Amino acid sequence: MNELPKLPFDNPAVMGIAPQMRTLQKEGPIARVRTAGEDAWLVTRYDEVRKLLADRRLGLSDPKPERAAKNTARLTMMALMAGDDYDTEATEHPLMRELLVPRFSTRRMRLMKSRIESHVDELLDQLAGSAPPVDLHRALSFPLPTMVVCDLLGVPLADQERIGLWARGTFDQSDSEHSVNTFQQVVDYITELVIRKRTDPGDDILSELIAQKGGSLSDEYIARLGCAVLLFGYETTIVRIDMGVLLMLRNPDQRAQLAKNPGLAPAAVEEILRLAVGGKGSNALIPRYAHSDITVGGTSIRAGDAVLLAIGAANIDSRAYPDSDLLDLTRVKPRTHMAFGHGTRHCIGRVLARIELTAVFERLFRRLPDLQLAVPEESLRWQEHRITGGFDEIPVTF
Ligand code: HEM
């Protein structure tokens, strides 16, 4: 019998989909693959990935948790998404969404938009006033989303630096002790904040959560929701700002159009989100387990099987996007990409992330028209050991 393809697939490029992932996508919508933990079904085509993301017969929790050792970082992520326990996911996950989704109200997003835009202007002024080369990651990509998350949770801005290291530490798959210790710091910090906000509430998510369900939610439970917002709320966006800059620099014609017409920024953001896949691409896999039997493209998936939904590959499926590898700001009514997932666990912060990214890409290439990488792109190092991936620095001149 042939050996199964083994994840993570090698990827010689700094960004983009691994060649073996493309080959499997060409061959069919679903393939059996080997992973470090267990064998799984890998789904790579747009239509099938989208359908399965909305299919309630799939869940995040593992019906047979005893079979494979998952790393600590992955387990923490599952717990924060109320998907670590097969017996409670069906009740705990809807409760989490019921409590969190309304916190991202239109009113709050509108208020945050103008603050975000002013903050981007300030950061770009500072950057433009520095002597190049400058690390764009430090100067722009990092401070914007961390400021936004502080604002959301009512965290003092002075703690921004400290907080900024926590997502990386918690989601470090290579060092479980570091992951556990960092996550404990996050829990302690947010719990203390919840206790403070009980007596001194503000216009923030934690204060609103305290008032939900007649004030009956425990400090511990509110802190868990707060940790999810904190830890999912900035590193994801930091990585997309960095990758968006690299993608725009790779596409000088599109970049010139964007600099001339900032009205193209929302389209640029969607194309960036669609194409922003880094490293070996394993970060663009959404993990699920079949909670009952399902058939996909003629293949039977049995209850209990692990399923990996390759959103990065689906987002470049030529069946869904003509010239799918091209970054094209003028696509006419493109299908919605799945960078934010879809269906039952569709990203709760997607409106906010889009506001942040749009504020950046409306301004960046107008304010710094000569922006270029100060090093060859191949020298940038994707941080494979983090679930969130990403780069640690993006040196630029301007
Ligand atoms: C560009 C930035 C972002 C990207 C690419 C992103 C991506 C995603 C994806 C793919 C999922 C679905 C995971 C799954 O189905 O298993 C998700 C879920 C989630 N995201 Fe985001 N996200 C971003 C920004 C944010 C922000 C800014 C917040 C909050 C401030 C946030 C909070 C969440 C939460 C709480 C969930 C869990 C939803 C659930 O399990 O029901 N995300 N995100």
Side-chain angles (χ1 to χ4, degrees):
M1 211 170 101
N2 285 343
E3 282 257 312
L4 290 178
K6 196 158 181 276
L7 277 168
F9 299 146
D10 269 344
N11 195 357
V14 175
M15 285 195 299
I17 299 293
Q20 199 173 356
M21 188 79 84
R22 288 175 185 272
T23 307
L24 290 177
Q25 187 184 57
K26 231 177 262 165
E27 288 171 1
I30 179 162
R32 193 78 178 144
V33 293
R34 183 137 297 165
T35 75
E38 63 216 335
D39 290 354
W41 297 105
L42 177 70
V43 187
T44 48
R45 290 190 183 168
Y46 183 95
D47 284 342
E48 286 77 5
V49 169
R50 196 163 181 85
K51 230 182 270 163
L52 289 176
L53 280 171
D55 193 324
R56 292 183 182 275
R57 290 173 296 175
L58 288 173
L60 180 58
S61 57
D62 185 348
K64 303 178 203 161
E66 66 290 347
R67 68 176 145 191
K70 290 177 193 59
N71 64 57
T72 311
R74 180 70 60 193
L75 284 171
T76 303
M77 182 170 266
M78 289 167 79
L80 287 172
M81 293 170 76
D84 57 332
D85 184 343
Y86 179 70
D87 295 328
T88 61
E89 181 179 3
T91 48
E92 286 296 318
H93 179 237
L95 176 63
M96 167 190 149
R97 289 194 74 93
E98 179 198 326
L99 289 165
L100 281 185
V101 171
R103 311 284 77 81
F104 292 76
S105 63
T106 315
R107 180 195 73 91
R108 172 164 282 137
M109 295 303 106
R110 203 177 305 125
L111 276 175
M112 291 193 76
K113 182 170 184 282
S114 51
R115 282 209 286 270
I116 288 168
E117 290 174 346
S118 324
H119 199 54
V120 174
D121 284 331
E122 277 165 33
L123 292 169
L124 288 176
D125 283 346
Q126 280 169 24
L127 206 163
S130 318
V134 168
D135 178 10
L136 184 120
H137 174 85
R138 258 324 294 181
L140 175 68
S141 316
F142 175 88
L144 179 69
T146 46
M147 178 285 280
V148 167
V149 125
C150 288
D151 210 2
L152 266 182
L153 291 170
V155 166
L157 209 53
D159 290 342
Q160 180 180 16
E161 280 293 318
R162 186 147 71 106
I163 283 169
L165 297 173
W166 285 346
R168 290 178 177 190
T170 303
F171 299 133
D172 183 340
Q173 311 187 79
S174 66
D175 184 344
S176 53
E177 198 181 330
H178 180 48
S179 171
V180 168
N181 291 341
T182 313
F183 183 55
Q184 192 55 50
Q185 285 179 49
V186 186
V187 172
D188 293 346
Y189 180 91
I190 298 287
T191 308
E192 205 175 291
L193 199 60
V194 172
I195 293 167
R196 249 189 289 146
K197 288 196 181 286
R198 281 208 187 267
T199 50
D200 186 16
D203 183 5
D204 56 68
I205 285 189
L206 294 179
S207 301
E208 283 181 14
L209 286 171
I210 289 168
Q212 295 303 302
K213 305 269 177 201
S216 65
L217 301 174
S218 68
D219 290 347
E220 191 194 358
Y221 185 70
I222 296 169
R224 169 130 67 88
L225 297 179
C227 289
V229 172
L230 175 69
L231 292 173
F232 298 151
Y234 62 91
E235 194 67 29
T236 41
T237 313
I238 293 174
V239 174
R240 268 65 187 187
I241 297 174
D242 282 345
M243 282 203 277
V245 172
L246 296 181
L247 282 165
M248 294 309 300
L249 292 180
R250 275 183 181 186
N251 290 276
D253 296 352
Q254 301 294 306
R255 168 205 175 148
Q257 281 193 48
L258 176 60
K260 220 177 327 152
N261 178 6
L264 285 172
V269 167
E270 296 314 307
E271 281 292 87
I272 288 166
L273 287 164
R274 185 175 73 80
L275 293 169
V277 176
K280 296 184 177 170
S282 48
N283 68 314
L285 299 176
I286 291 188
R288 293 286 188 266
Y289 289 94
H291 288 183
S292 15
D293 294 348
I294 309 175
T295 303
V296 178
T299 301
S300 297
I301 299 177
R302 290 295 178 82
D305 284 358
V307 181
L308 297 167
L309 303 171
I311 52 173
N315 284 343
I316 53 123
D317 185 347
S318 54
R319 292 160 204 83
Y321 300 96
D323 293 322
S324 58
D325 282 317
L326 289 186
L327 181 134
D328 178 0
L329 309 192
T330 61
R331 288 185 187 275
V332 182
K333 293 196 178 153
R335 297 182 70 179
T336 312
H337 60 73
M338 289 176 282
F340 291 119
H342 172 66
T344 44
R345 289 185 176 271
H346 204 180
C347 175
I348 289 173
R350 62 190 186 279
V351 173
L352 187 57
R354 283 185 163 115
I355 292 172
E356 293 177 63
L357 289 162
T358 305
V360 168
F361 289 99
E362 264 169 1
R363 290 164 174 75
L364 182 64
F365 296 107
R366 283 167 88 78
R367 188 73 178 79
L368 302 171
D370 297 322
L371 186 77
Q372 289 300 341
L373 271 181
V375 296
E377 193 193 87
E378 312 76 72
S379 70
L380 301 174
R381 285 281 149 264
W382 183 261
Q383 302 301 313
E384 208 73 59
H385 61 289
R386 291 182 205 138
I387 296 182
T388 40
F391 299 102
D392 279 349
E393 54 170 359
I394 307 281
V396 295
T397 58
F398 44 85

